Amino acid sequence: MDPAGGPAGATAVRPTPLWARATTSLRRPAFWLVLLLVVAGAWRVAVILGDGFRIYPVATTVAIGLFALYAIPFWLFVDNVDYLEREPPLLLLTAFAWGGLVATSTAIPGNAAITNLLAKQVSTGFAASWGPAIAGPTTEEILKTLGIVAVVLIARAQVNSVLDGVVYGALVGLGFQVVENMIYAVNAVGAAGAGDQVGPVVTTFFLRGFLAGLWSHTLFSALAGAGVAYVVVRIDRPLWLRAGVAGGALVGAWLCHFLWNSPLLADGFGYGTLGVFGALLLKGIPPLLLVLLMVRHARGREAEYYVGHLAVLNDPGIATPAELRILGSGRQRAEARRYAHGRAGIRGRAAVRRLQLAQARLAVELSRAAPSGIGPSVDGAGLYATGDVARRFREVRTQRRRLLALGHPEAVASPRAQPAWQRWLTWLGTATVVVVALAVAIGALGGG
Amino acid sequence: MGTGRYRLLGNLLAGVAILATIVAISFGLPAVDRALPADRPVAAGRPYQVGAGVTVVPPPAAVVDVTKTRPAADRGSALFVLDTVRYAIVVTPFDGSLDQAATRLRRKITDNRGYQVLGDSRSAATATGVPGRQGGYTAPGRTGRYAVFVAGGLAVDVTISGAGPTLRDALPKITVSVASLTFPGRA
């Protein structure tokens, strides 16, 4: 609990007020402006890809299809990061569309202009080597961050925590990454000069989707998004500090992007394929770890807050102490579902999943009903006899009854769950396999 | 004015600020770029580094367009302008045959709307004996020549385009320049 008496992390989370409705956004000028920009961006991207389709219909279709599929697991992962307080799908789609349509179509002329100016003012060699490292981050990070600001302008009430900023930022970055890669793939087909072949598309898919995909725009914009959300959420902090954090996050995103695009270590220390791969890891892993640690911290703060609202109910029918301990952790929630599967089959797994979801929804509704951060009285169900909170209470109790009927009363992990050292060993093994596979891919695709 | 109106005004102003930034990047930066000249003189009679160690002696009185010139360690491009004739050289890593490189260049040309290659390609060679293929093409309002050379894991694509009489006048000088192409290790 916070010293103020509310759930822990109360100042780090600002629940969506009860008055907030999706239709409220329609009254905001920024909504119509964003809509206009998205339509204009869609037209410009359609023209670019349409040109590709006219000359290379098969390759362009494959490029669009492959990268659209590629976006799905990323989207699901990003959405699941904020399990307890899910963001409205329409707002997530807006963030994705901004990144894919507005930011990409605006960045193309901007990047070309900056690279040309470098060639004019410095030298053509400098523009060739450092142009992508200077132009790309400068225009693209600003444009993508504007997308997160646009989300705040449309639905400020939905940006409740730093984690929300990470989610919206990641979606803006994902949209940018996906559409940019589609354009790169079609350009690669043209550069190959072999006609309507899918080979260059597949090569681009592996090089840009996998080798560069883990530490690309999704990551950079997640960092910038955390900064924007900090400004919105942490109103307990002075404005200069919040602005400083947001500026620092944007600079951090710029630096990560700059490092990735820079020609530094491009020769792979002179060690061929392995050297190139080592250089990619050296450039990509520090930002990845930085953002993952930030997400972990932000998610922990948010989980403390929402789980705290369930904890003050002190009602094992709603959530047992063991369930409260695991609700904020994606890994432990998954372990609880696996344990239920082992004991009660697929129906047990589904019942635990539904109970966890119902508990999360109830926690969010309780937080909305008590925006001061002070939780409801212990007699929660009685206090909220009507409305959304009461509906969520009923939902949790219904799911609890289903779980009980399956002979599996509590949604917890197995007491014989895999110990931490085994999990780390599994991760290490998986990472090693991925590293070897990627090194082989680089070699096969001529990266050495 | 009530608080609600102030909020709406703030929302509008913030939206306008976003729009202004997008306009600045999308149109402002390109306008600044266009306002500055892109042509630079090149030293007469001296080899010019195109990229990946490939050099060429530019035609007399030619200028280089720095916005289309990008020398790099493993590839490169250069665009020379002679009057209104555009003389472009593109160097890329290439592990195929000369015929494959010629087919690739012809396809790149015809991928442009309204561009057509004229007949089959003929043999060509640089002054240092690197074999190549050359031919002609037409584009809306312009005619052009192309040449391609392959050596040392590199392909060099040359395209020359301009309006009829101007191109005719410039071609002899450019032909001499094309012959001056050198590849790394084949001086």
Side-chain angles (χ1 to χ4, degrees), chain A residues 114-379:
Chain A
I114 291 179
T115 311
N116 286 347
L117 288 169
L118 290 173
K120 289 172 182 175
Q121 299 302 317
V122 189
S123 73
T124 52
F126 183 81
S129 302
W130 290 94
I134 295 170
T138 304
T139 59
E140 293 165 13
E141 293 314 317
I142 289 173
L143 286 166
K144 288 183 292 166
T145 304
L146 286 181
I148 308 159
V149 174
V151 166
V152 171
L153 291 176
I154 291 174
R156 185 182 179 132
Q158 295 296 339
V159 181
N160 315 113
S161 65
V162 169
L163 193 59
D164 289 1
V166 170
V167 169
Y168 288 119
L171 261 296
V172 170
L174 180 62
F176 190 97
Q177 192 172 327
V178 165
V179 174
E180 185 192 42
N181 285 347
M182 287 174 184
I183 295 171
Y184 268 108
V186 176
N187 287 347
V189 175
D196 193 8
Q197 301 291 316
V198 295
V201 174
V202 175
T203 305
T204 308
F205 184 68
F206 277 106
L207 284 174
R208 295 193 62 87
F210 288 97
L211 296 183
L214 281 178
W215 25 68
S216 187
H217 292 282
T218 306
L219 199 70
F220 308 146
S221 298
L223 186 56
V228 174
Y230 190 86
V231 173
V232 177
V233 175
R234 296 309 302 263
I235 51 172
D236 56 311
R237 302 288 170 91
L239 183 61
W240 65 264
L241 179 65
R242 288 186 281 148
V245 169
L250 179 58
V251 169
W254 189 93
L255 282 173
C256 292
H257 197 164
F258 172 82
L259 179 67
W260 182 254
N261 279 13
S262 78
L264 298 172
L265 310 179
D267 66 345
F269 312 98
Y271 286 103
T273 301
L274 275 180
V276 170
F277 189 66
L280 287 181
L281 293 182
L282 209 60
K283 286 178 171 185
I285 285 183
L288 180 68
L289 288 179
L290 173 73
V291 172
L292 286 180
L293 283 173
M294 186 189 69
V295 167
R296 187 186 163 94
H297 176 74
R299 190 159 65 170
R301 295 295 301 269
E302 192 185 88
E304 276 177 32
Y305 174 78
Y306 286 114
V307 171
H309 276 281
L310 292 180
V312 294
L313 296 173
N314 199 21
D315 181 349
I318 296 297
T320 68
E323 286 172 348
L324 291 171
R325 277 196 296 277
I326 69 159
L327 195 58
S329 158
R331 180 181 56 76
Q332 290 186 306
R333 284 195 306 270
E335 279 180 4
R337 292 194 291 270
R338 269 196 296 276
Y339 183 43
H341 190 249
R343 293 191 68 202
I346 198 160
R347 290 174 64 203
R349 174 188 283 268
V352 165
R353 183 173 52 78
R354 283 195 294 262
L355 176 66
Q356 289 170 341
L357 206 57
Q359 287 170 332
R361 285 173 176 160
L362 173 61
V364 171
E365 284 307 328
L366 286 171
S367 74
R368 293 184 68 185
S372 63
I374 301 167
S377 72
V378 290
D379 186 17

Side-chain angles (χ1 to χ4, degrees), chain A residues 30 33 54 56 116 120 153, chain B residues 11 15 33 36 40 111 113:
Chain A
L33 183 77
R54 182 179 57 80
Y56 318 112
N116 286 347
K120 289 172 182 175
L153 291 176
Chain B
N11 193 272
D33 175 32
L36 296 174
R40 299 284 185 276
D111 278 348
R113 200 190 288 264

Side-chain angles (χ1 to χ4, degrees), chain A residues 78-87 163-164 167 302:
Chain A
V78 171
D79 190 33
N80 203 46
V81 162
D82 196 12
Y83 175 85
L84 290 172
E85 193 262 324
R86 297 288 177 103
E87 302 309 311
L163 193 59
D164 289 1
V167 169
E302 192 185 88

